[in-house]
Amino acid sequence: DADVTQTPRNRITKTGKRIMLECSQTKGHDRMYWYRQDPGLGLRLIYYSFDVKDINKGEISDGYSVSRQAQAKFSLSLESAIPNQTALYFCATSLGFGGEAFFGQGTRLTVV
Amino acid sequence: AQSVAQPEDQVKVAEGNPLTVKCTYSVSGNPYLFWYVQYPNRGLQFLLKYITGDNLVKGSYGFEAEFNKSQTSFHLKKPSALVSDSALYFCAVRPQGGKLIFGQGTELSVKP
């Protein structure tokens, strides 16, 4: 079983719809992240959380919200999806300050 | 602003030749530095990291990276490239303060 699991893996949704991407981890890590990947732009940080009570905006948080329901769960919501949110989304976890990040398999989201 | 730069969008090498994928960073303090690899339709996989100590860091699959504080660089290297090394490579930095920042990625192509 994967240590970092993202659901769904693929999703097509219509403009204006609300959508939630979910991430769960079995690694026991305290830190969790949401990134989006676009060709030529690398990975850009949307939100990150260092523990259950800590939520921080990343560089591109507009149009997104997150919830850290438990140490193991971190969900990303698009309140009203728009086409330029079409991208590959990754959840990641890490332990403490120096730990490397472990990534989920990604969610490919298409907004039409 | 804190940032990571990978100056080459693409690197092409012949199998058996040495390879270098470049990374420079601009952050304050003493950051932690990372390299990740992404194969098609997969999440990112950790290769190696520098926290402190020896400037030459060895990682997975025969890769190594050299930290140069004066040039603020952390170039990824491998003495002899394999066709199976072809993938997208990301440099990342974690400045003091904790969030992980990625470069835009470099596509490595190794030809037989």
Side-chain angles (χ1 to χ4, degrees):
Chain A
D1 290 337
D3 294 319
V4 183
T5 303
Q6 291 182 233
T7 55
R9 291 294 311 279
N10 290 280
R11 180 72 181 268
I12 300 174
T13 192
K14 293 183 178 180
T15 297
K17 291 293 187 181
R18 183 180 189 275
I19 182 170
M20 180 182 288
L21 308 183
E22 298 186 335
C23 177
S24 63
Q25 53 121 342
T26 59
K27 300 193 72 66
H29 289 174
D30 52 345
R31 301 179 177 213
M32 298 188 74
Y33 311 82
W34 276 104
Y35 291 90
R36 68 175 275 176
Q37 184 178 18
D38 299 278
L41 296 178
L43 274 77
R44 292 182 291 167
L45 183 61
I46 306 172
Y47 272 94
Y48 60 106
S49 169
F50 286 171
D51 64 42
V52 175
K53 297 180 181 180
D54 176 75
I55 301 290
N56 304 281
K57 292 182 177 181
E59 57 184 309
I60 55 163
S61 59
D62 288 349
Y64 301 94
S65 62
V66 291
S67 174
R68 186 86 183 261
Q69 300 96 323
Q71 187 186 36
K73 296 183 181 296
F74 192 39
S75 60
L76 175 72
S77 294
L78 287 67
E79 297 301 326
S80 180
I82 56 176
N84 76 359
Q85 291 178 313
T86 293
L88 185 56
Y89 289 83
F90 285 105
C91 174
T93 73
S94 68
L95 181 63
F97 184 63
E100 61 268 25
F102 290 81
F103 283 79
Q105 293 288 78
T107 295
R108 188 168 296 279
L109 177 65
T110 303
V111 183
V112 297
Chain B
Q2 299 171 334
S3 63
V4 179
Q6 294 179 239
E8 302 155 317
D9 291 336
Q10 191 173 45
V11 170
K12 295 182 179 180
V13 299
E15 187 174 32
N17 283 0
L19 69 87
T20 299
V21 182
K22 296 179 180 178
C23 173
T24 59
Y25 62 92
S26 176
V27 301
S28 57
N30 297 311
Y32 294 173
L33 300 160
F34 304 83
W35 275 102
Y36 291 83
V37 59
Q38 185 182 29
Y39 298 101
N41 300 314
R42 301 289 298 275
L44 278 72
Q45 298 176 29
F46 169 75
L47 279 179
L48 50 80
K49 68 180 177 182
Y50 174 83
I51 295 179
T52 187
D54 194 349
N55 290 343
L56 186 64
V57 180
K58 294 188 182 298
S60 305
Y61 312 120
F63 284 93
E64 57 191 26
E66 186 169 11
F67 171 64
N68 187 316
K69 187 173 184 178
S70 63
Q71 297 185 3
T72 61
S73 66
F74 189 55
H75 300 331
L76 182 70
K77 300 181 179 183
K78 188 173 183 180
S80 178
L82 300 173
V83 172
S84 58
D85 292 329
S86 298
L88 189 57
Y89 289 81
F90 289 96
C91 180
V93 59
R94 178 178 288 142
Q96 295 174 0
K99 63 182 180 181
L100 193 58
I101 303 168
F102 283 84
Q104 71 270 36
T106 298
E107 184 179 355
L108 174 66
S109 177
V110 182
K111 297 298 184 184

